[in-house]
Amino acid sequence: MANNPQKSYEVCNAEANAAGHLMDGGYLRYFDGAVPVTANASLGSAVLMAELVFSGTAFQDATNGAATANALSPATNAKATGDPTFFRTYKADGTSVVLQGTIGQSGCDINIPKNGSDPVITIGVNVACDSFVYAVPRGA
């Protein structure tokens, strides 16, 4: 018989809430460059493009395994121009990584539409995140 563990929504909510609390007062950072193999790997030559700040209570309580972030403070004065390829979230200490994911126009963890051939982020311009949801899958 194959392995096929399934979690209840109660378990998924607990996992999402625990991860969300790790980001209380933390950071959402957009990077350009090669996506590290894991969230624990070095950033290598990735370039920090923008940094947004989670509120003191980063996420609302999870429902059906999904937690929605409360409003993030916009990044003021983006640090680089280009198209971000991945993000990392950090605890409030600014150094402990919580999550890593991809950024692109569609089909990524964070989707940012492009305006023609213009770069997604331009140095010195403010960057915002309208919605950020962390979801814990129920099945294997």
Side-chain angles (χ1 to χ4, degrees):
M1 193 174 274
N3 289 328
N4 187 20
Q6 301 290 315
K7 299 175 193 172
S8 69
Y9 282 129
E10 182 178 9
V11 171
C12 294
N13 290 342
E15 288 182 27
N17 289 336
H21 287 306
L22 289 174
M23 293 177 267
D24 289 347
Y27 303 92
L28 169 60
R29 295 179 180 153
Y30 295 169
F31 295 93
D32 186 10
V35 180
V37 176
T38 70
N40 294 317
S42 164
L43 287 170
S45 61
V47 175
L48 174 62
M49 301 190 77
E51 176 181 272
L52 293 87
V53 180
F54 286 104
S55 66
T57 302
F59 286 80
Q60 300 167 27
D61 286 339
T63 302
N64 296 333
T68 300
N70 290 311
L72 286 93
S73 298
T76 54
N77 300 321
K79 301 170 184 335
T81 295
D83 298 334
T85 53
F86 72 99
F87 72 89
R88 280 189 174 176
T89 65
Y90 292 82
K91 293 171 71 172
D93 65 12
T95 59
S96 301
V97 177
V98 179
L99 301 172
Q100 174 179 293
T102 58
I103 299 177
Q105 291 182 52
S106 66
C108 294
D109 299 306
I110 292 180
N111 296 311
I112 303 175
K114 278 188 72 134
N115 184 11
S117 62
D118 293 341
V120 170
I121 294 177
T122 302
I123 194 166
V125 176
N126 293 349
V127 177
C129 178
D130 295 334
S131 175
F132 189 97
V133 177
Y134 175 65
V136 174
R138 289 185 59 212

